[in-house]
Amino acid sequence: MNLRTFLSAALLLPMSTVAVAQYKGPNAVRSVTAADSASKAADNTPVVLEGTLVRHIGNDIYEFRDDSGTVRVEIDPEDFPLGTPIEATTKVRLIGEVEKDWGAVEIDVEQVEVLN
């Protein structure tokens, strides 16, 4: 391999990984979209829920409610949107995954979006 081919490949490789990381289209993994289904889903199942955070239970744990029911969610402070207060009536979208430990089910939230 000559030097020009090597340098071209070295420059293009990082660009191809960036394109894949920014893909936003459909994928083979289906997300759970209802609280009652999330509480019954397998560990590490992706979740996208829309509803309200009805109460703060303690530490990073909240109770989330949608039309299907309620489920406990764990939200780290840095995962809330900056400068946007969230009340019990604020509609939110939670993106995360099911976390099952010792029989307890929680949603480990990675991102909170305010919808209204």
Side-chain angles (χ1 to χ4, degrees):
M1 178 184 312
N2 66 29
L3 184 58
R4 185 181 312 191
T5 304
F6 175 77
L7 290 176
S8 296
L11 290 173
L12 290 176
L13 182 63
M15 292 159 79
S16 66
T17 58
V18 169
V20 171
Q22 294 180 2
Y23 178 73
K24 300 288 185 193
N27 60 46
V29 178
R30 292 195 159 268
S31 297
V32 172
T33 58
D36 67 341
S37 298
S39 64
K40 300 171 192 165
D43 194 29
N44 299 320
T45 300
V47 174
V48 179
L49 302 173
E50 292 185 7
T52 56
L53 295 171
V54 293
R55 72 183 176 117
H56 181 221
I57 296 171
N59 295 327
D60 297 341
I61 308 299
Y62 298 82
E63 182 179 353
F64 171 84
R65 175 178 287 138
D66 65 10
D67 293 336
S68 72
T70 63
V71 66
R72 286 183 178 219
V73 297
E74 179 182 358
I75 307 172
D76 295 326
E78 64 269 14
D79 295 329
F80 281 100
L82 290 176
T84 305
I86 296 178
E87 299 177 11
T89 57
T90 306
K91 186 145 182 174
V92 294
R93 177 180 296 126
L94 305 181
I95 301 168
E97 66 182 20
V98 174
E99 185 175 281
K100 289 190 173 184
D101 289 320
W102 301 99
V105 177
E106 288 179 354
I107 306 305
D108 184 15
V109 176
E110 300 298 325
Q111 182 178 351
V112 178
E113 299 173 0
V114 174
L115 298 179
N116 57 346

